[in-house]
DNA sequence: TTGTAGGCGTTATCAC
DNA sequence: GTGATAACGCCTACAA
């Protein structure tokens, strides 16, 4: 009676079978190029399939024989050049294992993390993410989904983690500035909400040299070129005596360049700059950007290894990604 | 008897049910937070699930209630800054429709395209790709999978396409150079194999101004900074008289910058440069790069719209992405 | 509140 | 060569 439903029901093997006048099993044989089938029948079936615009259900197939492992990757901003390298590292490592990679991005809206995790949980076998939400929030969202957290310290023992050796990097940056005679050093930091915190490391490094850090020597902003730009303008207004800045990342350092040009501040003569990330584009600008380099491809590869551990039931690991200072022209 | 199989069979609802001493149905209720279940039973079930490390099968779930549409995206190089913007556009547009995005990259090995398509066919409902393989190859690999091809002309009527208005862009670039008095204009092109071809457009534009194009005025290379670098060195050696170059993309233009610095060639005084793509980093270098801009985010968004058309059974569309010349300091 | 029966679309196994 | 029949793991009825 009610054959004509409103929601266009999916075309199945049986539909094709009916049209071709064979059993659904024969259709399966034809579709999958099994032998043991009359070439003529085969043709008829394939024609019917084409006519109905038949596409096999990946779910049904996956049910019968579990397909490739699918890895979910969550980043916070695909347009921050930091992430493409990380993504490349993950893709390559995943590929070596024959895994698929599902990518999503919060586009800098951290509040969306739990939602993205939940969505990926339905699609992926394991998730790697540059996540800023607190462990408890992530645990609730993950619901048993194996999770590898990138770029920050993690307490939850169930999570894998690849942390960055921020302390060492920041210390090297500050030591370098001090060795060049700087004493009034400012920081362009991320805005106060969330994100891995490089500020304590900055304080510690400065203290190590007996240098004070006044509150107004730190200026925050979004993790973008624009964020760095406005943060530097603000810093400069508050503390014109500062002769060097350490920025949260290279993108913000570029913002400092832009602001500096506008303000007539010369780099490095009037103000030295050190970034963090070591992006390739640091080499392209003038003067080339001195930066704390971290190997993002490697980070991705390590994360995939961690993911594999979790999937095989081994206890979660804590990897530490080393960093190193690359001295170029800006400091 | 043979309960202990070698391949660690998947943990299912029934396993949890057995351990918790309930029916598999009750487990389902507990897992999915349905009402109508004794809190105590619920807890017992959840504990059992945790103990067994149970994770629901996404395939079985998908079978019962078809989940989100999954879009596959194939790019050729995640580290070419062109793609992150495109990816962002696709992700955003897909998200608006509640779709998932699966990403893979050929990493500049074009020969891998068919393989990637086939793999995605098993995971995605529709695929968008920056694909250079000929239509016939793609058709064979796609096997009915809806496909949207980006950045080049397409003949296959079944494919959706978002083409770039290369002709207009190249013509604008050449016209600009001519208006600045250049007559000996060279081109840094992609290597001879595959990839969308801007060479015919270059020839046509030059001819439009009555300018000759000798073979040695075109130098090819890989679509990277390095490729542009070596190509320019070669071009410069063969044709020192050339006063302006048009490059296949901005990345290669950066290579020209690098080579020029090494060779002591000043930009734009000794040689003007115009790129293609209009990447943000063109603004960051010195002199800022004049380039043919195309809106990659928009390209991604349009592609998703095309994908939606294909999925709903409408005939494939052919969108044309407009471009425009952005004049900055390099030409 | 809980359990039983049926079906989602596909493939594998076995008869015919 | 071809067609029933039984899984695969889950969920939505409905019955107990």
């Amino acid at each position: 009676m009610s054959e004509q439903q409103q929601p266009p029901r999916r075309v199945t093997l049986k539909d094709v079978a009916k049209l071709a006048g064979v059993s659904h099993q024969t259709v399966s044989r034809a579709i999958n190029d099994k032998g043991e089938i009359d070439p003529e029948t085969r043709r008829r079936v394939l024609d019917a399939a084409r006519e109905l615009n038949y596409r096999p259900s990946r779910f049904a197939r996956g049910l019968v024989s579990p397909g490739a492992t699918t890895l979910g990757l969550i980043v916070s901003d695909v347009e921050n050049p930091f992430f493409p390298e990380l993504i490349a590292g993950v893709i390559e490592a995943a590929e070596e294992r024959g895994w698929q990679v599902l990518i999503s991005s919060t586009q800098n809206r951290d509040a969306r993390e739990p939602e993205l995790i939940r969505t990926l949980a339905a699609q992926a076998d394991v998730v790697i993410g540059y996540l800023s939400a607190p462990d408890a929030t992530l645990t609730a969202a993950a619901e048993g989904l194996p999770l590898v957290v990138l770029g920050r310290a993690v307490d939850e023992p169930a999570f894998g983690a690849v942390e960055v050796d921020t302390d060492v990097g920041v210390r090297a940056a500050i030591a370098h500035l001090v060795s060049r005679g700087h004493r009034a050093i400012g920081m362009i930091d991320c805005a106060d909400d969330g994100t891995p915190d490089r500020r304590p490391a900055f304080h510690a490094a400065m203290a190590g040299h007996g240098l004070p850090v006044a509150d107004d020597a730190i200026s925050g902003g979004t993790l973008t070129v624009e964020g760095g730009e406005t943060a530097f303008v603000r810093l400069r207004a508050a503390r014109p005596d500062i002769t060097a800045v350490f920025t949260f990342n290279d993108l913000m350092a570029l913002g400092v360049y832009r602001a500096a040009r506008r303000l007539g501040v010369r780099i490095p003569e009037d103000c030295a700059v050190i970034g963090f990330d070591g992006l390739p584009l640091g080499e392209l600008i003038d003067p080339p950007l001195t930066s704390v380099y971290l190997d993002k491809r490697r980070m991705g590869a390590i994360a995939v290894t961690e993911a594999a551990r979790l999937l095989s039931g081994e206890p979660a690991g804590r990897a530490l990604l080393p960093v190193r200072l690359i001295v170029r022209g800006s400091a």
Side-chain angles (χ1 to χ4, degrees), chain A residues 88-128:
Chain A
V90 169
I91 287 183
E92 280 165 16
E95 210 158 63
E96 279 175 21
R97 296 170 182 270
W99 294 3
Q100 297 282 301
V101 179
L102 208 43
I103 301 196
S104 49
S105 166
T106 60
Q107 298 300 80
N108 285 320
R109 281 173 293 165
D110 295 348
R112 302 197 47 218
E113 290 179 2
E115 170 200 344
L116 287 188
I117 292 177
R118 263 186 289 266
T119 311
L120 277 182
Q123 302 276 123
D125 301 301
V126 55
V127 166
I128 294 175

Side-chain angles (χ1 to χ4, degrees), chain A residues 313-325:
Chain A
E314 296 170 53
R318 295 272 174 283
L320 186 64
L321 189 75
V323 303
R324 70 170 197 277
L325 184 69

Side-chain angles (χ1 to χ4, degrees), chain A residues 8-299:
Chain A
R9 198 180 44 74
R10 185 185 181 90
V11 176
T12 77
L13 272 188
K14 290 180 185 165
D15 298 318
V16 178
K18 197 183 302 173
L19 180 60
V22 296
S23 80
H24 74 271
Q25 175 53 339
T26 300
V27 178
S28 174
R29 288 216 241 311
I31 297 287
N32 297 316
D33 257 328
K34 300 284 180 187
E36 324 203 323
I37 182 177
D38 187 294
E40 167 55 25
T41 314
R42 189 182 132 78
R43 249 190 31 72
R44 229 175 50 240
V45 170
L46 258 27
D47 284 346
R50 193 170 358 264
E51 187 180 331
L52 261 33
N53 192 21
Y54 166 78
R55 309 235 57 234
S57 150
R58 63 173 187 278
F59 296 114
R61 280 197 162 154
L63 232 204
V64 175
S65 57
T69 297
T70 301
L71 170 86
L73 176 61
I74 300 178
V75 299
S76 55
D77 180 5
V78 275
E79 288 176 84
N80 178 338
F82 176 89
F83 288 108
E85 284 187 64
L86 172 68
I87 294 174
V90 169
I91 287 183
E92 280 165 16
E95 210 158 63
E96 279 175 21
R97 296 170 182 270
W99 294 3
Q100 297 282 301
V101 179
L102 208 43
I103 301 196
S104 49
S105 166
T106 60
Q107 298 300 80
N108 285 320
R109 281 173 293 165
D110 295 348
R112 302 197 47 218
E113 290 179 2
E115 170 200 344
L116 287 188
I117 292 177
R118 263 186 289 266
T119 311
L120 277 182
Q123 302 276 123
D125 301 301
V126 55
V127 166
I128 294 175
Y130 220 95
L131 273 5
S132 65
D135 287 3
T137 307
L138 297 181
T139 306
E143 290 184 11
L145 176 77
L147 195 62
V148 178
V149 177
L150 262 31
R152 70 167 171 85
V154 171
D155 286 328
E156 168 61 52
F159 296 164
V162 184
E163 300 174 25
V164 174
D165 202 345
T166 311
D167 286 350
V168 165
V170 175
R171 218 177 299 141
I174 302 306
H176 176 74
L177 290 175
V178 170
S179 78
R180 296 284 168 110
H182 296 282
R183 299 194 54 83
I185 302 173
M187 179 178 184
I188 305 291
D189 195 15
C190 60
D192 292 324
D193 55 328
T195 17
D197 211 352
R198 280 161 210 175
R199 197 174 302 193
F202 176 70
H203 275 107
M206 291 290 281
H209 292 279
L211 297 174
V213 180
D215 278 355
D216 60 0
I218 298 184
S219 180
T222 60
L223 306 181
T224 60
V225 176
E226 291 70 30
E229 197 168 357
T230 60
F232 183 68
V233 170
R234 204 175 327 115
L235 177 69
R236 191 74 191 172
R239 294 288 304 274
D241 61 306
I242 280 178
T243 62
V245 294
F246 168 66
T247 69
F248 184 90
N249 68 16
D250 283 0
L251 237 39
M252 298 187 87
L254 292 183
V256 171
Y257 273 55
R258 233 153 66 170
R261 196 186 311 172
R262 244 186 341 158
L263 298 174
V265 174
R266 293 166 305 163
I267 299 172
E269 293 82 358
D270 301 331
C271 185
V273 180
I274 294 190
F276 198 105
D277 279 353
L279 301 182
L281 63 76
E283 291 185 85
L284 302 172
I285 56 181
D286 185 45
L289 179 65
T290 293
S291 182
V292 177
Y293 173 84
L294 59 163
D295 190 338
K296 301 126 217 112
R297 294 182 95 88
R298 183 149 163 237
M299 186 177 203

